[in-house]
Amino acid sequence: MLIKFVKPNGETLTVGEGSDWKLQKNGLEGFANFEAKVTSTSDYARDGGKIENVRLEEKDRTIKICNIDWKNANLAREKARLFFTYQTKYKIYITEDEETRWGEAILYRMAMNEPSDKDYLLKLTMSFEFEMPYLRSVDNFGKDIASLTPMFGFPWMSRLNYGTATAIFNFERSVTIKNDGDNIAYPKISIRFKNPVLNPVVSINDGFIRFLGTYGIDDKIEVDYTVNPPRITNNDENIMGMCDRASKFDDMYILIGENTVAFDADNGTDEMSVSVFYNRLYTLI
């Protein structure tokens, strides 16, 4: 198993093969279990009740590591002290059997021993709070969109490439993608235009967003459902008010299983290129 911690400034610390930092025995806690919060109302007229909501709240997880370079334990201790800091948000990547999942978490508790003759290994116990309880997949295509966050994406859908097979997709106005994660996925959508397009629309299953107006080569629409509330921009400016009020914003999610993603326009569909990126979400490693 390989674990990589990444700080906001890009600094990294790796645990596992090729590093003096190793995972302690039973060094992962909270990565192989979950407990959902269930909200229900009682039915006073009969036995039982009605379940109103089931959700996963933020997740507490603990990682225990040690440093096997006992001759330089003091130096390793100082490096760890400087790297792991209170309230810092880390990206944590865990790779096992060539599959990597990751999450973002804030370090809120840490304990570090003083190596001695009886216990010469430097040991750290760190507790992290994951705002998003799910662990995410990593980009299979090596693409990023709008940030350095690794995403999974399928290639550009473009009407201009109709009938051309690329990867496993035939590029038409719609494409089917499969989500084999444990939960619905939150997409990022990027729309480009080669020439003027009137009232473009993009849809995922029953959800859709229709953008009113004419868009051209200088426009770059981004729809980001990975943030709450979702953000819809053109060239980084909010255009929520320029969307058709009939749009079904709340249904723009990638469900578990097969999903149909499509695009169209009142005029100029052939001039659109659309890409959708998302992370599969997993409750356990």
Side-chain angles (χ1 to χ4, degrees):
M1 177 178 289
L2 191 71
I3 302 175
K4 183 170 72 172
F5 299 90
V6 183
K7 296 183 73 171
N9 63 2
E11 187 180 356
T12 64
L13 186 146
T14 301
V15 177
E17 184 177 355
S19 171
D20 291 331
W21 291 101
K22 305 296 180 183
L23 187 67
Q24 296 186 45
K25 184 177 180 180
N26 301 321
L28 294 180
E29 298 178 4
F31 288 88
N33 65 285
F34 67 88
E35 182 176 352
K37 182 177 181 179
V38 180
T39 303
S40 62
T41 56
S42 299
D43 188 336
Y44 296 101
R46 62 179 68 182
D47 294 336
K50 181 180 180 181
I51 296 177
E52 302 288 349
N53 186 38
V54 180
R55 62 184 298 271
L56 291 178
E57 298 185 319
E58 61 276 7
K59 179 70 172 175
D60 185 287
R61 294 183 169 107
T62 297
I63 301 177
K64 300 176 182 180
I65 62 176
C66 63
N67 191 288
I68 61 174
D69 184 12
W70 57 273
K71 292 183 179 179
N72 296 298
N74 290 332
L75 179 60
R77 191 177 196 279
E78 181 63 12
K79 288 184 177 180
R81 186 188 66 81
L82 295 174
F83 183 84
F84 293 108
T85 54
Y86 168 66
Q87 284 192 336
T88 298
K89 179 177 283 189
Y90 296 83
K91 289 182 179 180
I92 303 173
Y93 298 82
I94 300 178
T95 302
E96 186 173 24
D97 297 330
E98 298 184 351
E99 183 173 358
T100 300
R101 295 175 184 175
W102 70 282
E104 289 185 296
I106 290 178
L107 176 64
Y108 73 92
R109 182 171 60 219
M110 182 175 74
M112 185 162 43
N113 71 328
E114 289 279 3
S116 64
D117 292 338
K118 294 183 178 180
D119 189 4
Y120 58 88
L121 293 182
L122 174 65
K123 298 178 181 178
L124 277 70
T125 298
M126 298 168 291
S127 295
F128 296 88
E129 188 77 4
F130 288 73
E131 294 176 328
M132 164 65 78
Y134 297 99
L135 298 173
R136 311 172 198 179
S137 63
V138 171
D139 182 0
N140 289 355
F141 292 91
K143 292 183 179 180
D144 296 335
I145 183 170
S147 71
L148 296 178
T149 303
M151 308 290 288
F152 170 85
F154 64 82
W156 288 93
M157 297 188 300
S158 174
R159 187 61 177 164
L160 296 178
N161 291 328
Y162 177 79
T164 301
T166 300
I168 60 173
F169 301 111
N170 288 321
F171 286 4
E172 301 178 8
R173 292 189 181 185
S174 67
V175 68
T176 299
I177 58 177
K178 187 175 182 180
N179 175 17
D180 62 1
D182 299 337
N183 193 46
I184 61 174
Y186 304 93
K188 283 187 177 182
I189 304 170
S190 179
I191 308 174
R192 304 289 191 273
F193 308 92
K194 298 178 179 65
N195 285 296
V197 175
L198 177 63
N199 298 333
V201 59
V202 62
S203 67
I204 300 179
N205 301 320
D206 295 331
F208 72 92
I209 301 175
R210 185 169 181 250
F211 307 91
L212 300 179
T214 299
Y215 299 84
I217 193 170
D218 294 328
D219 293 304
K220 175 177 145 182
I221 293 179
E222 304 283 353
V223 179
D224 188 357
Y225 271 73
T226 67
V227 296
N228 188 22
R231 185 168 56 238
I232 301 176
T233 61
N234 181 23
N235 296 329
D236 297 325
E237 294 186 4
N238 189 339
I239 59 167
M240 181 69 77
M242 299 177 64
C243 297
D244 190 335
R245 292 185 179 181
S247 300
K248 298 177 69 175
F249 300 99
D250 292 340
D251 296 325
M252 290 290 289
Y253 299 110
I254 299 174
L255 304 174
I256 297 174
E258 292 188 345
N259 296 260
T260 300
V261 181
F263 66 92
D264 209 338
D266 289 352
N267 186 47
T269 305
D270 290 350
E271 308 301 331
M272 295 174 60
S273 293
V274 179
S275 186
V276 177
F277 295 79
Y278 65 101
N279 292 116
R280 298 181 178 100
L281 302 179
Y282 301 94
T283 53
L284 311 174
I285 60 172

